Amino acid sequence: MESIKAGIVPPSLAKDMPPAPPGVSQELPSAPVALAEKKPELDLALLPDEIDEETVKKILDQADEMHVEVLTEANLRRAVAQLERRIKKNQQDRIRHAEDPEKWIKSEVDLDEEIKRWKQLAADPALYPLFIEARGLELLLSLLNHSNQDIQLEVIDVLAEFTDADTLAECKNPQEILNKLVEHQLPELTVETLQRINEESGEDEQRGVSHCLSIVENLLESEPSLAGKFMKFHKLPNWLLRRVRNPVGGQPTAFDFNRLYASEILVVLLQNSAEARESLGAKQGGDAVDKLLRAVAVYRKRDPESSQEEEMAQNLFDALCSLLLVPANKELLGKQQGIELMLRIVKER
């Protein structure tokens, strides 16, 4: 009865009701629409008295899902200014409260969320020039030296999408964008970040390495001549040679995606740079020739266990072939019994 008093007719009585006068709707009023649930903000009162690095990491992970304002030409400068404010606030909080993480964790979460919004920038390459002009790229690159490696990894993720070769090709002037990336030392900073990541720490770090290698690959695909520049950072080729031989976990026969990725980058460098073929060969005492021979030697007694490992093995042989374009490296191959190894691998297949 209360519902009838309120003007709401139960369905069981609706059939007995006379037809409504013209112009009057017979539709029953709809149920009240629930308001969208608002995502709770970080409540500092709920934080433990002492915050360790693991807790900081979990809090940042929880900030992954958030509403992000779509970037446009009209709001991009404001968004860059917001990023700069977040960076400064976090820096100030960390300096003032270096021994009390509870007092800077909120600004770190805010910064992490602010970085995530820039992932969408790759969806509109037309904004790249304005983003660089507004110092957005400069600000992101500065965060590659942040004290929290999770922040560094987040930036690397954004830059991997930003530098996608197909996306860069959609820019009005791709070469100008590439020049700016090099001018702001993206190649150097990427290699330095790659060196600092310990893949044994977990999946986030392994993804971080993949993103670093993606940036290198993207830049080389867009501008193959950058191979010579990357070769000047001796840490990169040395890291690649070490990585193709050492899987995560330390098991010689284990395989992981970043081993494959490292072998691909190594081949690209050697195929696109005469300097790489010379410096990694005879000029360094045949170090690369020796390491690659050791890497392929495992396939004398066993076959690759997956299609990805097979692809990696092919890359290792391709890298060796590229090195042998230099006459001095051919001599090294003979001295290090490389020819005998190749014959054994062929004979025992």
Side-chain angles (χ1 to χ4, degrees):
M1 293 299 293
E2 293 298 327
S3 61
I4 296 178
K5 290 179 181 179
I8 302 175
V9 181
S12 59
L13 300 180
K15 60 182 180 179
D16 299 325
M17 294 289 292
V24 179
S25 172
Q26 281 187 298
E27 293 183 2
L28 297 178
S30 59
V33 179
L35 295 176
E37 183 178 353
K38 184 178 180 181
K39 185 176 178 180
E41 296 183 355
L42 176 65
D43 189 349
L44 295 179
L46 299 178
L47 292 175
D49 294 335
E50 295 184 3
I51 302 179
D52 55 19
E53 291 186 6
E54 184 65 25
T55 303
V56 172
K57 184 178 180 65
K58 289 181 179 179
I59 292 174
L60 292 180
D61 288 343
Q62 291 171 358
D64 282 352
E65 296 183 4
M66 57 171 291
H67 171 72
V68 179
E69 180 186 5
V70 176
L71 291 171
T72 65
E73 187 174 353
N75 67 15
L76 188 138
R77 288 186 182 277
R78 186 174 71 249
V80 171
Q82 174 76 352
L83 173 62
E84 185 171 17
R85 285 194 294 272
R86 297 294 193 197
I87 293 173
K88 289 182 177 179
K89 181 67 166 64
N90 182 240
Q91 289 175 339
Q92 292 170 355
D93 287 354
R94 273 183 164 270
I95 292 173
R96 292 172 182 170
H97 312 290
E99 303 301 325
D100 191 356
E102 183 177 343
K103 293 185 178 179
W104 52 253
I105 184 62
K106 177 63 167 63
S107 66
E108 200 126 311
V109 171
D110 291 341
L111 176 58
D112 184 74
E113 292 179 347
E114 197 64 36
I115 295 169
K116 286 180 172 65
R117 79 181 301 179
W118 293 101
K119 289 182 180 180
Q120 62 174 302
L121 184 63
D124 192 355
L127 295 176
Y128 280 20
L130 181 58
F131 174 67
I132 295 173
E133 179 188 335
R135 295 182 56 248
L137 177 63
E138 182 180 338
L139 290 170
L140 281 181
L141 291 177
S142 71
L143 290 171
L144 291 179
N145 290 314
H146 194 278
S147 301
N148 185 345
Q149 192 171 78
D150 288 332
I151 296 293
Q152 298 177 28
L153 297 180
E154 198 68 58
V155 172
I156 284 293
D157 186 7
V158 172
L159 292 172
E161 295 189 28
F162 183 91
T163 57
D164 179 79
D166 292 335
T167 302
L168 287 177
E170 295 177 18
C171 295
K172 185 176 181 180
N173 191 337
Q175 190 59 52
E176 182 178 333
I177 301 299
L178 276 169
N179 292 342
K180 289 293 183 181
L181 293 173
V182 174
E183 179 183 323
H184 284 82
Q185 299 185 318
L186 177 59
E188 294 93 327
L189 292 170
T190 300
V191 173
E192 290 175 5
T193 303
L194 177 65
Q195 293 285 317
R196 291 195 297 267
I197 301 175
N198 178 13
E199 291 180 87
E200 301 288 349
S201 298
E203 293 182 0
D204 288 344
E205 287 73 17
Q206 291 166 21
R207 279 193 295 270
V209 166
S210 294
H211 292 148
C212 285
L213 295 177
S214 290
I215 294 172
V216 175
E217 180 184 36
N218 292 338
L219 294 177
L220 289 173
E221 184 176 347
S222 299
E223 186 60 70
S225 64
L226 286 174
K229 186 174 185 63
F230 276 111
M231 284 307 302
K232 293 179 181 179
F233 318 137
H234 297 297
K235 292 180 179 179
L236 177 60
N238 290 336
W239 185 93
L240 294 172
L241 286 168
R242 182 176 66 253
R243 189 63 180 83
V244 296
R245 291 162 40 242
N246 299 317
V248 171
Q251 296 296 325
T253 59
F255 177 79
D256 60 80
F257 176 75
N258 284 339
R259 283 186 75 191
L260 169 59
Y261 214 163
S263 69
E264 291 177 352
I265 301 299
L266 184 61
V267 170
V268 172
L269 286 175
L270 290 171
Q271 289 180 343
N272 288 284
S273 172
E275 179 184 353
R277 295 190 290 271
E278 293 179 0
S279 64
L280 289 180
K283 286 188 176 180
Q284 290 189 4
D287 187 56
V289 174
D290 178 64
K291 288 179 177 178
L292 286 174
L293 286 174
R294 292 177 183 275
V296 301
V298 298
Y299 299 112
R300 182 171 66 87
K301 296 183 178 180
R302 72 174 183 88
D303 291 328
E305 297 179 357
S306 66
S307 59
Q308 285 191 329
E309 186 178 3
E310 183 177 349
E311 184 179 351
M312 183 191 73
Q314 181 64 54
N315 289 336
L316 296 177
F317 283 107
D318 286 346
L320 263 176
C321 290
S322 294
L323 283 172
L324 296 180
L325 292 174
V326 179
N329 292 340
K330 294 179 182 179
E331 296 180 14
L332 287 171
L333 184 74
K335 292 178 181 179
Q336 295 171 355
Q337 299 183 326
I339 297 176
E340 289 84 347
L341 175 62
M342 297 300 111
L343 291 174
R344 288 181 181 178
I345 291 177
V346 172
K347 186 181 297 184
E348 297 179 17
R349 288 304 85 213

